[in-house]
Amino acid sequence: MLKIQAQSHIPTDFGMFTVYAFSENESDWSPHLVWVAEKTDFNAVVNVRFHSECITGEVFHSRKCECGQQLDSAMKFVSENGGMIIYLRQEGRNIGIINKLKAYVLQEQGFDTVEANLRLGLPADGRDFGIAIEMLKILGVSDVNLLTNNPEKLKSLENSGIILHNRIPLEIDSNPSSASYLTKKKDYFGHLLEKV
């Protein structure tokens, strides 16, 4: 059972956020985090981003994906419009950083992102968005707009008790290193990408 283990106010380049750490026990060093922008009304329709950890893209600015840019864009949006980022500790579509780097080696050999994961005996996408739903309910949020291009995130809200009002696109321009990755997102996972 997830519960709030700690919370604090943190000023960022995008504005002030209240940050909640969610885990099953307080000794968990990698809890899920919810970053709530100032002036967010949990009783209204809340702008929400389900964002999975990507240390390569967010911290080290890898150009192989758009994760860091998406996180920055989402933080800017919710800071200006109210809302929250649900930061899920599900690195590399929930395969972990070691397996992610192994998959990168296979990608250098010509396999795409899905083929690389499958060759390692891993799921194409092993993330669990039900965790995000659980955190929304703990916070008392029942109505959301979802910042996403991913249809699976939209589906995760079906029959959840959380009402989805609108999808807010969060599309980032590709670069030579991310073009094939984004194409695979669109063609294999059905991501709603108009620029690809």
Side-chain angles (χ1 to χ4, degrees):
M1 178 71 71
L2 286 176
K3 64 179 182 178
I4 298 170
Q5 302 292 350
Q7 70 183 77
S8 180
H9 302 297
I10 299 180
T12 75
D13 289 343
F14 303 99
M16 183 66 75
F17 286 79
T18 301
V19 183
Y20 300 83
F22 281 85
S23 68
E24 294 182 1
N25 63 76
E26 62 182 357
S27 62
D28 185 350
W29 284 21
S30 297
H32 301 293
L33 301 173
V34 178
W35 291 70
V36 181
E38 282 188 306
K39 300 178 183 176
T40 300
D41 182 357
F42 288 0
N43 296 312
V45 180
V46 181
N47 299 310
V48 177
R49 165 75 179 163
F50 296 169
H51 189 94
S52 297
E53 180 179 40
C54 176
I55 191 171
T56 50
E58 297 156 6
V59 179
F60 298 104
H61 310 288
S62 166
R63 293 178 61 79
K64 290 175 68 68
C65 65
E66 85 280 43
C67 303
Q69 293 164 292
Q70 281 191 317
L71 181 57
D72 287 351
S73 294
M75 288 187 73
K76 182 176 187 293
F77 182 91
V78 300
S79 183
E80 293 173 353
N81 300 282
M84 65 178 65
I85 312 290
I86 297 181
Y87 190 82
L88 302 167
R89 306 308 288 271
Q90 299 185 148
E91 174 72 48
R93 295 182 185 147
N94 211 21
I95 65 172
I97 187 63
I98 292 174
N99 284 322
K100 182 178 179 179
L101 295 176
K102 289 179 180 179
Y104 280 174
V105 172
L106 291 174
Q107 290 171 37
E108 291 166 7
Q109 297 170 9
F111 298 98
D112 64 38
T113 57
V114 171
E115 292 167 342
N117 279 21
L118 297 178
R119 284 182 70 86
L120 290 170
L122 302 167
D125 189 340
R127 290 176 292 179
D128 176 9
F129 300 119
I131 297 168
I133 303 295
E134 186 177 349
M135 287 187 276
L136 285 173
K137 290 181 177 179
I138 291 170
L139 291 171
V141 175
S142 58
D143 295 78
V144 303
N145 295 322
L146 204 60
L147 285 77
T148 189
N149 307 319
N150 186 344
E152 289 303 314
K153 292 180 182 179
L154 299 172
K155 289 179 186 174
S156 72
L157 291 168
E158 293 177 1
N159 304 314
S160 69
I162 306 291
I163 299 170
L164 174 64
H165 289 258
N166 294 293
R167 179 183 78 89
I168 301 170
L170 197 60
E171 191 163 358
I172 305 296
D173 290 334
S174 66
N175 65 67
S177 298
S178 69
S180 62
Y181 162 83
L182 291 173
T183 298
K184 196 66 178 182
K185 272 189 167 185
K186 181 175 183 177
D187 294 346
Y188 185 87
F189 294 108
H191 282 215
L192 306 166
L193 300 171
E194 295 184 359
K195 299 179 182 179
V196 177

